[in-house]
mmCIF file of all heavy atoms in Angstrom:
data_model
loop_
_atom_site.group_PDB
_atom_site.id
_atom_site.type_symbol
_atom_site.label_atom_id
_atom_site.label_comp_id
_atom_site.label_asym_id
_atom_site.label_seq_id
_atom_site.Cartn_x
_atom_site.Cartn_y
_atom_site.Cartn_z
ATOM 1 N N LYS X 12 0.820 -1.234 0.007
ATOM 2 C CA LYS X 12 -0.001 -0.023 0.046
ATOM 3 C C LYS X 12 0.897 1.264 0.008
ATOM 4 O O LYS X 12 0.607 2.234 -0.729
ATOM 5 C CB LYS X 12 -0.932 -0.005 1.197
ATOM 6 C CG LYS X 12 -2.083 -0.968 1.089
ATOM 7 C CD LYS X 12 -2.972 -0.899 2.384
ATOM 8 C CE LYS X 12 -4.202 -1.848 2.246
ATOM 9 N NZ LYS X 12 -5.002 -1.763 3.461
ATOM 10 N N GLU X 13 1.931 1.246 0.800
ATOM 11 C CA GLU X 13 2.786 2.418 0.835
ATOM 12 C C GLU X 13 3.490 2.620 -0.472
ATOM 13 O O GLU X 13 3.622 3.781 -0.967
ATOM 14 C CB GLU X 13 3.840 2.283 1.997
ATOM 15 C CG GLU X 13 3.185 2.376 3.365
ATOM 16 C CD GLU X 13 4.260 2.468 4.433
ATOM 17 O OE1 GLU X 13 5.420 2.221 4.203
ATOM 18 O OE2 GLU X 13 3.872 2.797 5.610
ATOM 19 N N MET X 14 3.919 1.511 -1.132
ATOM 20 C CA MET X 14 4.564 1.708 -2.451
ATOM 21 C C MET X 14 3.536 2.193 -3.501
ATOM 22 O O MET X 14 3.871 2.983 -4.347
ATOM 23 C CB MET X 14 5.219 0.400 -2.898
ATOM 24 C CG MET X 14 6.404 0.016 -2.016
ATOM 25 S SD MET X 14 7.692 1.291 -1.912
ATOM 26 C CE MET X 14 8.621 0.679 -0.534
ATOM 27 N N ALA X 15 2.328 1.694 -3.388
ATOM 28 C CA ALA X 15 1.312 2.184 -4.318
ATOM 29 C C ALA X 15 1.050 3.674 -4.112
ATOM 30 O O ALA X 15 0.934 4.444 -5.071
ATOM 31 C CB ALA X 15 -0.003 1.412 -4.104
ATOM 32 N N ASP X 16 1.041 4.103 -2.866
ATOM 33 C CA ASP X 16 0.871 5.499 -2.579
ATOM 34 C C ASP X 16 1.986 6.371 -3.201
ATOM 35 O O ASP X 16 1.753 7.391 -3.780
ATOM 36 C CB ASP X 16 0.871 5.771 -1.068
ATOM 37 C CG ASP X 16 -0.357 5.154 -0.360
ATOM 38 O OD1 ASP X 16 -1.346 4.796 -1.071
ATOM 39 O OD2 ASP X 16 -0.269 5.002 0.881
ATOM 40 N N ARG X 17 3.229 5.835 -3.073
ATOM 41 C CA ARG X 17 4.361 6.614 -3.584
ATOM 42 C C ARG X 17 4.359 6.610 -5.128
ATOM 43 O O ARG X 17 4.667 7.646 -5.743
ATOM 44 C CB ARG X 17 5.661 5.957 -3.111
ATOM 45 C CG ARG X 17 5.840 6.074 -1.603
ATOM 46 C CD ARG X 17 6.479 7.417 -1.161
ATOM 47 N NE ARG X 17 5.741 8.596 -1.508
ATOM 48 C CZ ARG X 17 4.652 9.052 -0.844
ATOM 49 N NH1 ARG X 17 4.239 8.388 0.244
ATOM 50 N NH2 ARG X 17 4.051 10.150 -1.237
ATOM 51 N N LEU X 18 3.962 5.520 -5.772
ATOM 52 C CA LEU X 18 3.908 5.494 -7.236
ATOM 53 C C LEU X 18 2.953 6.600 -7.736
ATOM 54 O O LEU X 18 3.245 7.242 -8.754
ATOM 55 C CB LEU X 18 3.357 4.121 -7.703
ATOM 56 C CG LEU X 18 4.409 2.970 -7.621
ATOM 57 C CD1 LEU X 18 3.698 1.656 -7.942
ATOM 58 C CD2 LEU X 18 5.569 3.162 -8.621
ATOM 59 N N VAL X 19 1.863 6.812 -7.036
ATOM 60 C CA VAL X 19 0.876 7.792 -7.453
ATOM 61 C C VAL X 19 1.372 9.184 -7.093
ATOM 62 O O VAL X 19 1.411 10.083 -7.920
ATOM 63 C CB VAL X 19 -0.495 7.491 -6.880
ATOM 64 C CG1 VAL X 19 -1.479 8.592 -7.211
ATOM 65 C CG2 VAL X 19 -1.017 6.131 -7.408
ATOM 66 N N GLU X 20 1.674 9.354 -5.805
ATOM 67 C CA GLU X 20 1.907 10.758 -5.330
ATOM 68 C C GLU X 20 3.214 11.320 -5.808
ATOM 69 O O GLU X 20 3.329 12.567 -5.821
ATOM 70 C CB GLU X 20 1.833 10.716 -3.791
ATOM 71 C CG GLU X 20 0.448 10.348 -3.256
ATOM 72 C CD GLU X 20 0.369 10.137 -1.747
ATOM 73 O OE1 GLU X 20 1.290 10.661 -1.089
ATOM 74 O OE2 GLU X 20 -0.497 9.456 -1.258
ATOM 75 N N ASP X 21 4.196 10.483 -6.147
ATOM 76 C CA ASP X 21 5.526 10.989 -6.537
ATOM 77 C C ASP X 21 5.713 11.002 -8.031
ATOM 78 O O ASP X 21 6.860 11.216 -8.480
ATOM 79 C CB ASP X 21 6.580 10.185 -5.856
ATOM 80 C CG ASP X 21 6.569 10.364 -4.331
ATOM 81 O OD1 ASP X 21 5.982 11.324 -3.875
ATOM 82 O OD2 ASP X 21 7.169 9.514 -3.646
ATOM 83 N N GLY X 22 4.697 10.795 -8.789
ATOM 84 C CA GLY X 22 4.733 10.948 -10.239
ATOM 85 C C GLY X 22 5.126 9.756 -11.080
ATOM 86 O O GLY X 22 5.131 9.843 -12.292
ATOM 87 N N TYR X 23 5.328 8.596 -10.411
ATOM 88 C CA TYR X 23 5.711 7.409 -11.162
ATOM 89 C C TYR X 23 4.586 6.959 -12.084
ATOM 90 O O TYR X 23 4.816 6.534 -13.219
ATOM 91 C CB TYR X 23 6.192 6.309 -10.236
ATOM 92 C CG TYR X 23 7.424 6.626 -9.438
ATOM 93 C CD1 TYR X 23 7.347 7.102 -8.118
ATOM 94 C CD2 TYR X 23 8.699 6.495 -9.997
ATOM 95 C CE1 TYR X 23 8.476 7.411 -7.404
ATOM 96 C CE2 TYR X 23 9.829 6.749 -9.281
ATOM 97 C CZ TYR X 23 9.714 7.236 -7.982
ATOM 98 O OH TYR X 23 10.845 7.554 -7.228
ATOM 99 N N LEU X 24 3.416 6.903 -11.563
ATOM 100 C CA LEU X 24 2.252 6.454 -12.365
ATOM 101 C C LEU X 24 2.077 7.344 -13.587
ATOM 102 O O LEU X 24 1.930 6.826 -14.714
ATOM 103 C CB LEU X 24 0.962 6.384 -11.566
ATOM 104 C CG LEU X 24 -0.319 6.067 -12.341
ATOM 105 C CD1 LEU X 24 -0.207 4.648 -12.997
ATOM 106 C CD2 LEU X 24 -1.532 6.100 -11.424
ATOM 107 N N ASP X 25 2.159 8.610 -13.379
ATOM 108 C CA ASP X 25 2.034 9.535 -14.552
ATOM 109 C C ASP X 25 3.121 9.283 -15.604
ATOM 110 O O ASP X 25 2.881 9.492 -16.791
ATOM 111 C CB ASP X 25 2.099 11.000 -14.100
ATOM 112 C CG ASP X 25 0.841 11.419 -13.351
ATOM 113 O OD1 ASP X 25 -0.189 10.726 -13.493
ATOM 114 O OD2 ASP X 25 0.881 12.430 -12.632
ATOM 115 N N ALA X 26 4.302 8.820 -15.142
ATOM 116 C CA ALA X 26 5.399 8.579 -16.058
ATOM 117 C C ALA X 26 5.270 7.213 -16.765
ATOM 118 O O ALA X 26 6.034 6.926 -17.718
ATOM 119 C CB ALA X 26 6.744 8.654 -15.331
ATOM 120 N N GLY X 27 4.367 6.341 -16.240
ATOM 121 C CA GLY X 27 4.211 5.052 -16.902
ATOM 122 C C GLY X 27 4.388 3.830 -16.023
ATOM 123 O O GLY X 27 4.076 2.740 -16.441
ATOM 124 N N TYR X 28 4.831 4.004 -14.775
ATOM 125 C CA TYR X 28 4.994 2.887 -13.837
ATOM 126 C C TYR X 28 3.651 2.539 -13.206
ATOM 127 O O TYR X 28 3.216 3.160 -12.293
ATOM 128 C CB TYR X 28 6.016 3.257 -12.742
ATOM 129 C CG TYR X 28 7.426 3.545 -13.235
ATOM 130 C CD1 TYR X 28 7.776 4.862 -13.529
ATOM 131 C CD2 TYR X 28 8.366 2.544 -13.360
ATOM 132 C CE1 TYR X 28 9.082 5.187 -14.028
ATOM 133 C CE2 TYR X 28 9.668 2.826 -13.792
ATOM 134 C CZ TYR X 28 10.013 4.125 -14.124
ATOM 135 O OH TYR X 28 11.271 4.431 -14.539
ATOM 136 N N GLU X 29 2.992 1.513 -13.740
ATOM 137 C CA GLU X 29 1.640 1.235 -13.357
ATOM 138 C C GLU X 29 1.428 -0.026 -12.527
ATOM 139 O O GLU X 29 0.352 -0.195 -11.900
ATOM 140 C CB GLU X 29 0.760 1.208 -14.593
ATOM 141 C CG GLU X 29 1.076 0.100 -15.570
ATOM 142 C CD GLU X 29 0.144 0.067 -16.793
ATOM 143 O OE1 GLU X 29 -0.970 0.606 -16.650
ATOM 144 O OE2 GLU X 29 0.533 -0.505 -17.811
ATOM 145 N N TYR X 30 2.407 -0.908 -12.482
ATOM 146 C CA TYR X 30 2.216 -2.118 -11.697
ATOM 147 C C TYR X 30 2.913 -2.006 -10.361
ATOM 148 O O TYR X 30 3.987 -1.497 -10.209
ATOM 149 C CB TYR X 30 2.820 -3.315 -12.446
ATOM 150 C CG TYR X 30 2.074 -3.776 -13.676
ATOM 151 C CD1 TYR X 30 2.393 -3.231 -14.931
ATOM 152 C CD2 TYR X 30 1.090 -4.686 -13.618
ATOM 153 C CE1 TYR X 30 1.703 -3.559 -16.100
ATOM 154 C CE2 TYR X 30 0.361 -5.124 -14.757
ATOM 155 C CZ TYR X 30 0.687 -4.501 -15.964
ATOM 156 O OH TYR X 30 -0.018 -4.900 -17.131
ATOM 157 N N VAL X 31 2.245 -2.542 -9.332
ATOM 158 C CA VAL X 31 2.889 -2.732 -8.029
ATOM 159 C C VAL X 31 2.832 -4.267 -7.769
ATOM 160 O O VAL X 31 1.716 -4.812 -7.658
ATOM 161 C CB VAL X 31 2.227 -1.917 -6.922
ATOM 162 C CG1 VAL X 31 0.736 -2.115 -6.794
ATOM 163 C CG2 VAL X 31 2.887 -2.183 -5.547
ATOM 164 N N ASN X 32 3.991 -4.885 -7.672
ATOM 165 C CA ASN X 32 4.059 -6.348 -7.772
ATOM 166 C C ASN X 32 4.576 -6.978 -6.480
ATOM 167 O O ASN X 32 5.664 -6.705 -6.001
ATOM 168 C CB ASN X 32 4.975 -6.745 -8.933
ATOM 169 C CG ASN X 32 4.330 -6.546 -10.278
ATOM 170 O OD1 ASN X 32 3.225 -5.988 -10.375
ATOM 171 N ND2 ASN X 32 4.981 -6.978 -11.325
ATOM 172 N N ILE X 33 3.766 -7.904 -5.950
ATOM 173 C CA ILE X 33 4.129 -8.805 -4.875
ATOM 174 C C ILE X 33 5.073 -9.862 -5.450
ATOM 175 O O ILE X 33 4.858 -10.358 -6.545
ATOM 176 C CB ILE X 33 2.907 -9.473 -4.255
ATOM 177 C CG1 ILE X 33 1.901 -8.381 -3.838
ATOM 178 C CG2 ILE X 33 3.317 -10.333 -3.136
ATOM 179 C CD1 ILE X 33 0.514 -8.993 -3.517
ATOM 180 N N ASP X 34 6.122 -10.218 -4.703
ATOM 181 C CA ASP X 34 6.988 -11.352 -5.120
ATOM 182 C C ASP X 34 6.774 -12.488 -4.117
ATOM 183 O O ASP X 34 5.711 -12.643 -3.529
ATOM 184 C CB ASP X 34 8.414 -10.885 -5.250
ATOM 185 C CG ASP X 34 9.188 -11.765 -6.235
ATOM 186 O OD1 ASP X 34 9.726 -12.824 -5.867
ATOM 187 O OD2 ASP X 34 9.240 -11.324 -7.450
ATOM 188 N N ASP X 35 7.809 -13.307 -3.926
ATOM 189 C CA ASP X 35 7.682 -14.559 -3.077
ATOM 190 C C ASP X 35 7.371 -14.213 -1.616
ATOM 191 O O ASP X 35 7.501 -13.039 -1.192
ATOM 192 C CB ASP X 35 8.973 -15.293 -3.223
ATOM 193 C CG ASP X 35 8.814 -16.769 -2.792
ATOM 194 O OD1 ASP X 35 7.739 -17.187 -2.398
ATOM 195 O OD2 ASP X 35 9.846 -17.505 -3.011
ATOM 196 N N CYS X 36 6.883 -15.180 -0.905
ATOM 197 C CA CYS X 36 6.722 -15.163 0.557
ATOM 198 C C CYS X 36 5.467 -14.404 1.009
ATOM 199 O O CYS X 36 5.402 -13.962 2.143
ATOM 200 C CB CYS X 36 7.985 -14.581 1.229
ATOM 201 S SG CYS X 36 9.522 -15.431 0.748
ATOM 202 N N TRP X 37 4.502 -14.241 0.133
ATOM 203 C CA TRP X 37 3.270 -13.542 0.481
ATOM 204 C C TRP X 37 2.214 -14.480 1.058
ATOM 205 O O TRP X 37 1.302 -14.075 1.746
ATOM 206 C CB TRP X 37 2.690 -12.816 -0.793
ATOM 207 C CG TRP X 37 2.309 -13.755 -1.875
ATOM 208 C CD1 TRP X 37 3.097 -14.135 -2.938
ATOM 209 C CD2 TRP X 37 1.043 -14.432 -2.020
ATOM 210 N NE1 TRP X 37 2.370 -14.998 -3.724
ATOM 211 C CE2 TRP X 37 1.149 -15.159 -3.199
ATOM 212 C CE3 TRP X 37 -0.136 -14.448 -1.329
ATOM 213 C CZ2 TRP X 37 0.101 -15.990 -3.698
ATOM 214 C CZ3 TRP X 37 -1.176 -15.240 -1.775
ATOM 215 C CH2 TRP X 37 -1.060 -15.998 -2.934
ATOM 216 N N SER X 38 2.312 -15.770 0.724
ATOM 217 C CA SER X 38 1.213 -16.671 1.051
ATOM 218 C C SER X 38 1.387 -17.374 2.401
ATOM 219 O O SER X 38 2.435 -17.325 3.031
ATOM 220 C CB SER X 38 1.094 -17.743 -0.089
ATOM 221 O OG SER X 38 2.089 -18.728 0.064
ATOM 222 N N ALA X 39 0.284 -17.943 2.779
ATOM 223 C CA ALA X 39 0.368 -18.871 3.986
ATOM 224 C C ALA X 39 1.117 -20.141 3.519
ATOM 225 O O ALA X 39 1.314 -20.432 2.351
ATOM 226 C CB ALA X 39 -1.072 -19.237 4.430
ATOM 227 N N LYS X 40 1.560 -20.907 4.527
ATOM 228 C CA LYS X 40 2.307 -22.123 4.250
ATOM 229 C C LYS X 40 1.415 -23.250 3.763
ATOM 230 O O LYS X 40 1.924 -24.282 3.277
ATOM 231 C CB LYS X 40 3.068 -22.536 5.523
ATOM 232 C CG LYS X 40 4.289 -21.667 5.819
ATOM 233 C CD LYS X 40 5.441 -21.956 4.810
ATOM 234 C CE LYS X 40 6.675 -21.272 5.284
ATOM 235 N NZ LYS X 40 7.851 -21.608 4.438
ATOM 236 N N GLN X 41 0.130 -23.124 3.925
ATOM 237 C CA GLN X 41 -0.792 -24.158 3.460
ATOM 238 C C GLN X 41 -1.922 -23.544 2.614
ATOM 239 O O GLN X 41 -2.284 -22.413 2.776
ATOM 240 C CB GLN X 41 -1.442 -24.935 4.604
ATOM 241 C CG GLN X 41 -0.478 -25.712 5.481
ATOM 242 C CD GLN X 41 0.183 -24.890 6.552
ATOM 243 O OE1 GLN X 41 -0.381 -23.911 7.003
ATOM 244 N NE2 GLN X 41 1.383 -25.242 6.958
ATOM 245 N N ARG X 42 -2.446 -24.325 1.686
ATOM 246 C CA ARG X 42 -3.602 -23.942 0.971
ATOM 247 C C ARG X 42 -4.810 -24.042 1.818
ATOM 248 O O ARG X 42 -4.807 -24.694 2.870
ATOM 249 C CB ARG X 42 -3.753 -24.789 -0.314
ATOM 250 C CG ARG X 42 -2.661 -24.552 -1.357
ATOM 251 C CD ARG X 42 -2.697 -25.539 -2.510
ATOM 252 N NE ARG X 42 -1.725 -25.170 -3.508
ATOM 253 C CZ ARG X 42 -1.939 -24.399 -4.539
ATOM 254 N NH1 ARG X 42 -3.170 -23.905 -4.787
ATOM 255 N NH2 ARG X 42 -0.959 -24.064 -5.426
ATOM 256 N N ASP X 43 -5.921 -23.408 1.370
ATOM 257 C CA ASP X 43 -7.183 -23.500 2.195
ATOM 258 C C ASP X 43 -7.808 -24.869 2.014
ATOM 259 O O ASP X 43 -7.379 -25.720 1.262
ATOM 260 C CB ASP X 43 -8.092 -22.318 1.928
ATOM 261 C CG ASP X 43 -8.725 -22.364 0.529
ATOM 262 O OD1 ASP X 43 -8.673 -23.382 -0.156
ATOM 263 O OD2 ASP X 43 -9.298 -21.273 0.120
ATOM 264 N N SER X 44 -9.012 -25.039 2.597
ATOM 265 C CA SER X 44 -9.697 -26.346 2.577
ATOM 266 C C SER X 44 -10.161 -26.690 1.168
ATOM 267 O O SER X 44 -10.441 -27.870 0.911
ATOM 268 C CB SER X 44 -10.883 -26.284 3.531
ATOM 269 O OG SER X 44 -11.790 -25.280 3.124
ATOM 270 N N GLN X 45 -10.233 -25.737 0.261
ATOM 271 C CA GLN X 45 -10.684 -25.960 -1.133
ATOM 272 C C GLN X 45 -9.458 -26.028 -2.077
ATOM 273 O O GLN X 45 -9.642 -26.088 -3.286
ATOM 274 C CB GLN X 45 -11.640 -24.915 -1.586
ATOM 275 C CG GLN X 45 -12.939 -24.921 -0.800
ATOM 276 C CD GLN X 45 -13.873 -23.760 -1.278
ATOM 277 O OE1 GLN X 45 -13.609 -22.612 -1.049
ATOM 278 N NE2 GLN X 45 -14.954 -24.156 -1.907
ATOM 279 N N GLY X 46 -8.284 -26.073 -1.511
ATOM 280 C CA GLY X 46 -7.055 -26.206 -2.322
ATOM 281 C C GLY X 46 -6.556 -24.933 -2.911
ATOM 282 O O GLY X 46 -5.694 -24.976 -3.811
ATOM 283 N N ARG X 47 -7.043 -23.814 -2.468
ATOM 284 C CA ARG X 47 -6.616 -22.547 -3.043
ATOM 285 C C ARG X 47 -5.518 -21.881 -2.249
ATOM 286 O O ARG X 47 -5.453 -22.051 -1.020
ATOM 287 C CB ARG X 47 -7.838 -21.572 -3.076
ATOM 288 C CG ARG X 47 -8.966 -22.016 -3.987
ATOM 289 C CD ARG X 47 -10.148 -21.120 -3.914
ATOM 290 N NE ARG X 47 -10.624 -21.051 -2.536
ATOM 291 C CZ ARG X 47 -11.814 -20.548 -2.219
ATOM 292 N NH1 ARG X 47 -12.625 -20.039 -3.146
ATOM 293 N NH2 ARG X 47 -12.213 -20.559 -0.955
ATOM 294 N N LEU X 48 -4.682 -21.168 -2.878
ATOM 295 C CA LEU X 48 -3.666 -20.363 -2.205
ATOM 296 C C LEU X 48 -4.365 -19.305 -1.339
ATOM 297 O O LEU X 48 -5.457 -18.885 -1.661
ATOM 298 C CB LEU X 48 -2.770 -19.652 -3.205
ATOM 299 C CG LEU X 48 -1.806 -20.579 -4.017
ATOM 300 C CD1 LEU X 48 -1.128 -19.728 -5.114
ATOM 301 C CD2 LEU X 48 -0.700 -21.177 -3.140
ATOM 302 N N GLN X 49 -3.713 -18.978 -0.255
ATOM 303 C CA GLN X 49 -4.266 -17.961 0.580
ATOM 304 C C GLN X 49 -3.128 -17.077 1.170
ATOM 305 O O GLN X 49 -2.005 -17.599 1.356
ATOM 306 C CB GLN X 49 -5.103 -18.547 1.763
ATOM 307 C CG GLN X 49 -4.326 -19.592 2.604
ATOM 308 C CD GLN X 49 -5.205 -20.279 3.591
ATOM 309 O OE1 GLN X 49 -6.282 -19.729 4.002
ATOM 310 N NE2 GLN X 49 -4.795 -21.432 4.086
ATOM 311 N N ALA X 50 -3.424 -15.820 1.370
ATOM 312 C CA ALA X 50 -2.398 -14.941 1.876
ATOM 313 C C ALA X 50 -2.077 -15.219 3.294
ATOM 314 O O ALA X 50 -2.949 -15.706 4.074
ATOM 315 C CB ALA X 50 -2.852 -13.452 1.726
ATOM 316 N N ASP X 51 -0.851 -14.921 3.753
ATOM 317 C CA ASP X 51 -0.517 -15.067 5.143
ATOM 318 C C ASP X 51 -1.468 -14.175 5.962
ATOM 319 O O ASP X 51 -1.567 -12.966 5.744
ATOM 320 C CB ASP X 51 0.931 -14.659 5.367
ATOM 321 C CG ASP X 51 1.370 -14.765 6.813
ATOM 322 O OD1 ASP X 51 0.986 -13.849 7.647
ATOM 323 O OD2 ASP X 51 1.967 -15.781 7.139
ATOM 324 N N PRO X 52 -2.214 -14.740 6.950
ATOM 325 C CA PRO X 52 -3.234 -13.981 7.591
ATOM 326 C C PRO X 52 -2.710 -12.884 8.512
ATOM 327 O O PRO X 52 -3.465 -11.942 8.841
ATOM 328 C CB PRO X 52 -3.980 -15.024 8.410
ATOM 329 C CG PRO X 52 -2.967 -16.128 8.624
ATOM 330 C CD PRO X 52 -2.131 -16.151 7.352
ATOM 331 N N ASP X 53 -1.498 -12.997 8.972
ATOM 332 C CA ASP X 53 -0.983 -11.975 9.827
ATOM 333 C C ASP X 53 -0.366 -10.775 9.076
ATOM 334 O O ASP X 53 -0.544 -9.632 9.487
ATOM 335 C CB ASP X 53 0.172 -12.586 10.736
ATOM 336 C CG ASP X 53 -0.335 -13.648 11.671
ATOM 337 O OD1 ASP X 53 -1.443 -13.438 12.209
ATOM 338 O OD2 ASP X 53 0.341 -14.631 11.835
ATOM 339 N N ARG X 54 0.277 -11.106 7.910
ATOM 340 C CA ARG X 54 0.918 -10.023 7.150
ATOM 341 C C ARG X 54 -0.052 -9.371 6.103
ATOM 342 O O ARG X 54 0.201 -8.265 5.673
ATOM 343 C CB ARG X 54 2.162 -10.532 6.483
ATOM 344 C CG ARG X 54 3.253 -10.905 7.587
ATOM 345 C CD ARG X 54 4.513 -11.425 6.952
ATOM 346 N NE ARG X 54 4.376 -12.784 6.471
ATOM 347 C CZ ARG X 54 4.501 -13.096 5.175
ATOM 348 N NH1 ARG X 54 4.679 -12.165 4.246
ATOM 349 N NH2 ARG X 54 4.424 -14.383 4.788
ATOM 350 N N PHE X 55 -1.028 -10.175 5.696
ATOM 351 C CA PHE X 55 -2.030 -9.686 4.722
ATOM 352 C C PHE X 55 -3.409 -9.954 5.308
ATOM 353 O O PHE X 55 -4.220 -10.717 4.731
ATOM 354 C CB PHE X 55 -1.871 -10.370 3.362
ATOM 355 C CG PHE X 55 -0.583 -10.047 2.635
ATOM 356 C CD1 PHE X 55 0.619 -10.798 2.979
ATOM 357 C CD2 PHE X 55 -0.589 -9.067 1.698
ATOM 358 C CE1 PHE X 55 1.752 -10.455 2.278
ATOM 359 C CE2 PHE X 55 0.623 -8.756 1.029
ATOM 360 C CZ PHE X 55 1.797 -9.480 1.291
ATOM 361 N N PRO X 56 -3.765 -9.304 6.421
ATOM 362 C CA PRO X 56 -5.026 -9.653 7.072
ATOM 363 C C PRO X 56 -6.278 -9.316 6.255
ATOM 364 O O PRO X 56 -7.302 -9.879 6.391
ATOM 365 C CB PRO X 56 -4.977 -8.804 8.375
ATOM 366 C CG PRO X 56 -4.029 -7.732 8.105
ATOM 367 C CD PRO X 56 -3.019 -8.287 7.164
#
């Protein structure tokens, strides 16, 4: 969220930088009961 704010407020979006991308280590260690990925509940509540 903070990087998204900076992209907009500091002129990056206007210049063409439009993606804010999560990389590894965002998910929980297990899939949910339906076999879907889920975000880590503490870091992405």
Side-chain angles (χ1 to χ4, degrees):
K12 286 180 177 180
E13 289 189 349
M14 293 305 166
D16 294 344
R17 296 275 58 81
L18 286 171
V19 174
E20 295 172 23
D21 295 343
Y23 295 98
L24 175 59
D25 288 341
Y28 297 92
E29 61 179 340
Y30 289 90
V31 54
N32 287 6
I33 306 167
D34 208 275
D35 201 355
C36 308
W37 62 269
S38 77
K40 286 288 190 175
Q41 295 84 28
R42 292 173 176 267
D43 69 13
S44 60
Q45 296 179 291
R47 295 174 301 193
L48 291 170
Q49 53 186 339
D51 182 278
D53 296 321
R54 293 181 287 114
F55 293 84

